[in-house]
Amino acid sequence: MQKFRSVVLLLLFCFGLTNGEVFVTADGAAGMVSGSSFLLESDGVSCIIDAGMFMENEQIEKRNFRIAPKFLNANALVLTHAHTDHIGRVPLLAASGFNGKIYATAATKALALEFFSNGTGADLIKRKWFWYDDNANKKIAHWKDFCLKDEKPQTVLNPINFIDFQKSRKGRWEICKICILSQTAEIEKLFVELEYGQVVELAENFSFKLLDAGHIPGSASVLFNVEETRILFSGDLGSGFLKLQSKSLAAPKSDFVFIETTNGNVESVDENEFSAFRKDILNALNNSKIVWISALSFHRTQSLLYELKLMQDEGILNSNIPIYSLSPSANRITNLFEQEIVGQKRDWFAKEVYEKETLIPKNFKMQMPIFKGPMIIISSSGDMDMGMSKNLFLKLSPRKDVFMMVVNYVSPTSRAGILLANKEKFNIKKYNIFSGHPVLKEIFRWLENQDKKNTKLYLIHGELENMFSARQVFARAGFANVKILKIDERIQLR
Ligand SMILES: [Zn+2]
Ligand SMILES: [Zn+2]
């Protein structure tokens, strides 16, 4: 039956008698924020939008180990930007046999390859691991033949993903960096770099282009034109007041818009928080305190460094006060951003940033300090539960001479979340101005060219509760067709 159907479709296709149906399937970021991945199909042509990692609860995270067969056979993958919740399953997709092209901007490609080289997504893939017994305190698991030595290795009999492999063994394990680099080189071959606005034709009546989304370097919305129907995926959008990125333009009029609603419960943000942020830092430093800012290593840390640099340039922050950045991964990204600003100038950032010629403030240090104020310390992992922030937490909290600043979303059950819930007892404060996502006011600006009666909105990439409240707000604003997309749902657009 299946075969018969394919033959009929093929014949229809050859004679140009295709039926022009268009479908979208949600594999992630539907009813939740993470795991972003959608499939757009029409007449045997299909394109994946993002292959992100799930970062929710254990039950949902089981989806990280599989790719739906339909997605595997897609003709192309387009990446909106290089955050893990949008690219984390790309290595799994490639290792599972996906053989299409990966379309992305130059910045998204460079950043994604940086993360893949550092192992993002490598632990999700089932492999026949092998290893050699030595006395190192970390054992190295390989899978690539060129890491074989003369002696016989130990090996697992059945392919297993690294997370389960590690669980089933004693000791500390690490995936071989050389194996990971060779895998990254294979993924790199699939990439095709795109400029914003450049049209890609996947087939007759199936094309797309990228639009600057203003979220992080290289971030894009994707506008498809399939059978004369305009289908727009927002990707993650910028908040509209990120100083590193330029503001996105309002999106062109479309028939369908899949829109992110990460901050779908927030109407607006007080931009005066920038001055509160500055005042609080200066106040703490004047009292010889240690200002400890825990921030995500990618983009958030660099936005902070840039804000501190601006404060120095304006002469309000004393350039002799040391600024420590302690996370190695954050420092790698800072270097990558800095190289881009100093050297190549390929429009990763807002043009004002290039005019400054550096994003790094004066007296910037990367080594571990002696903890004595006044000083500023930036560590990664915003919630203080992982990495450097976890270690610092034990040293710095609670201390009277330490002022803690939180600059990203933190889970209420994390260390930072618990401190914030008791902020009268602890010296801690949260700021929303560094958020990389738009609040409703900004989303409405982005949607201003849409036809409220006819454009159909699908809410994605948000917590379910936030989407319920966003849906009401959209309806009140006059949007006649607003739906919340469900996970695994396949909807017909045409
Ligand atoms: Zn993002
Ligand atoms: Zn996202």
Side-chain angles (χ1 to χ4, degrees):
M1 193 60 201
Q2 188 69 34
K3 216 173 197 173
F4 175 72
R5 201 170 154 255
S6 318
V7 170
V8 170
L9 274 178
L10 189 71
L11 284 173
L12 286 171
F13 191 74
C14 292
F15 291 102
L17 297 167
T18 49
N19 51 8
E21 291 176 332
V22 181
F23 297 93
V24 165
T25 309
D27 184 58
M32 64 187 81
V33 170
S34 66
S36 204
S37 197
F38 304 92
L39 186 73
L40 179 63
E41 320 160 68
S42 177
D43 291 334
V45 182
S46 59
C47 181
I48 311 172
I49 300 96
D50 288 339
M53 204 182 280
F54 291 90
M55 294 176 276
E56 305 279 334
N57 54 50
E58 215 175 312
Q59 188 56 32
I60 291 171
E61 282 172 15
K62 284 183 186 153
R63 298 179 70 103
N64 277 334
F65 302 99
R66 66 168 225 351
I67 303 280
K70 251 208 190 137
F71 282 62
L72 221 58
N73 297 324
N75 302 75
L77 163 66
V78 45
L79 296 179
T80 61
H81 65 292
H83 272 145
T84 311
D85 62 320
H86 296 257
I87 61 162
R89 279 186 293 155
V90 171
L92 175 65
L93 187 70
S96 309
F98 169 80
N99 206 19
K101 295 259 180 283
I102 303 176
Y103 294 95
T105 61
T108 298
K109 176 185 168 187
L111 292 163
L113 291 173
E114 161 75 19
F115 296 129
F116 298 151
S117 307
N118 285 302
T120 294
D123 52 2
L124 305 178
I125 303 161
K126 280 188 180 168
R127 311 196 190 270
K128 277 186 121 173
W129 303 98
F130 65 86
W131 65 95
Y132 294 93
D133 260 333
D134 49 27
N135 293 322
N137 64 3
K138 246 187 212 161
K139 288 191 182 173
I140 312 281
H142 312 262
W143 79 90
K144 290 277 184 190
D145 282 351
F146 54 66
C147 281
L148 284 166
K149 299 182 200 165
D150 289 339
E151 55 181 301
K152 202 171 176 302
Q154 302 206 49
T155 185
V156 289
L157 293 176
N158 297 316
I160 182 172
N161 71 61
F162 185 71
I163 296 173
D164 290 339
F165 172 80
Q166 213 177 4
K167 272 188 207 152
S168 66
R169 270 153 226 279
K170 285 200 194 106
R172 292 170 59 194
W173 289 84
E174 192 173 280
I175 306 180
C176 167
K177 294 208 164 66
I178 299 165
C179 292
I180 288 179
L181 284 181
S182 116
Q183 168 197 266
T184 307
E186 287 160 21
I187 299 173
E188 185 173 1
K189 286 189 202 136
L190 303 176
F191 269 94
V192 178
E193 270 182 35
L194 293 183
E195 305 273 342
Y196 293 123
Q198 190 182 337
V199 177
V200 177
E201 278 201 38
L202 289 180
E204 203 187 334
N205 288 327
F206 199 127
S207 65
F208 71 86
K209 63 180 173 186
L210 304 180
L211 312 168
D212 190 350
H215 172 63
I216 59 167
S219 65
S221 306
V222 195
L223 178 59
F224 287 90
N225 193 332
V226 180
E227 302 285 343
E228 310 289 305
T229 307
R230 290 155 74 87
I231 304 152
L232 176 61
F233 289 84
S234 71
D236 289 4
L237 297 169
S239 66
F241 41 81
L242 289 176
K243 294 183 187 174
L244 273 184
Q245 304 306 137
S246 33
K247 202 171 169 136
S248 65
L249 296 174
K253 187 171 170 299
S254 306
D255 301 295
F256 297 89
V257 183
F258 292 79
I259 177 119
E260 73 122 317
T261 44
T262 317
N263 288 336
N265 58 334
V266 190
E267 296 267 359
S268 61
V269 164
D270 182 6
E271 289 187 46
N272 293 328
E273 248 194 29
F274 269 115
S275 43
F277 172 84
R278 288 176 165 210
K279 219 175 86 197
D280 292 345
I281 286 193
L282 297 174
N283 212 350
L285 293 172
N286 282 338
N287 291 309
S288 293
K289 285 190 179 170
I290 299 170
V291 174
W292 173 28
I293 314 172
S294 71
L296 298 170
S297 58
F298 173 32
H299 201 252
R300 199 60 52 94
T301 292
Q302 294 76 28
S303 300
L304 267 175
L305 289 174
Y306 186 60
E307 183 67 17
L308 295 172
K309 183 202 152 37
L310 294 179
M311 288 169 71
Q312 287 181 345
D313 289 355
E314 291 166 33
I316 57 171
L317 174 63
N318 181 342
S319 301
N320 294 322
I321 292 172
I323 296 167
Y324 291 88
S325 173
L326 299 184
S327 147
S329 60
N331 290 336
R332 268 201 310 273
I333 304 293
T334 304
N335 269 331
L336 203 66
F337 279 23
E338 184 67 2
Q339 276 166 29
E340 176 57 31
I341 290 168
V342 174
Q344 307 182 20
K345 308 198 175 185
R346 284 181 302 190
D347 301 336
W348 288 25
F349 304 103
K351 70 174 193 311
E352 296 76 23
V353 181
Y354 291 100
E355 280 159 16
K356 296 280 177 212
E357 293 181 331
T358 174
L359 66 78
I360 295 177
K362 294 194 186 83
N363 217 353
F364 174 74
K365 296 169 195 296
M366 294 193 201
Q367 77 276 28
M368 190 62 97
I370 295 163
F371 296 103
K372 195 178 175 310
M375 61 164 64
I376 298 171
I377 301 173
I378 302 170
S379 66
S380 84
S381 166
D383 59 11
M384 303 180 181
D385 278 353
M386 286 191 299
M388 192 62 74
S389 290
K390 186 179 163 189
N391 297 336
L392 280 182
F393 181 85
L394 304 171
K395 288 196 176 75
L396 296 180
S397 177
R399 259 168 70 161
K400 280 250 158 1
D401 61 339
V402 177
F403 174 53
M404 293 175 282
M405 302 175 104
V406 175
V407 291
N408 36 249
Y409 168 81
V410 292
S411 142
T413 54
S414 66
R415 285 194 172 89
I418 292 165
L419 291 181
L420 277 170
N422 298 286
K423 56 175 176 284
E424 40 318 306
K425 267 192 269 165
F426 302 103
N427 215 349
I428 188 166
K429 201 170 157 189
K430 183 169 183 273
Y431 304 82
N432 298 315
I433 29 147
F434 291 97
S435 167
H437 294 277
V439 295
L440 286 165
K441 189 176 160 209
E442 177 66 9
I443 292 178
F444 278 117
R445 185 192 65 79
W446 190 76
L447 286 174
E448 75 192 7
N449 297 330
Q450 306 306 322
D451 172 350
K452 288 181 178 174
K453 272 214 182 75
N454 295 311
T455 300
K456 294 191 171 59
L457 298 185
Y458 282 95
L459 310 187
I460 54 167
H461 197 288
E463 283 169 32
L464 206 50
E465 265 174 63
N466 296 354
M467 292 205 271
F468 285 135
S469 72
R471 187 172 59 184
Q472 281 183 345
V473 178
F474 282 120
R476 251 185 276 134
F479 280 95
N481 297 286
V482 188
K483 289 209 171 86
I484 295 171
L485 197 60
K486 292 194 203 77
I487 198 151
D488 289 328
E489 191 177 11
R490 183 171 187 252
I491 50 165
Q492 183 162 7
L493 304 187
R494 224 189 91 116

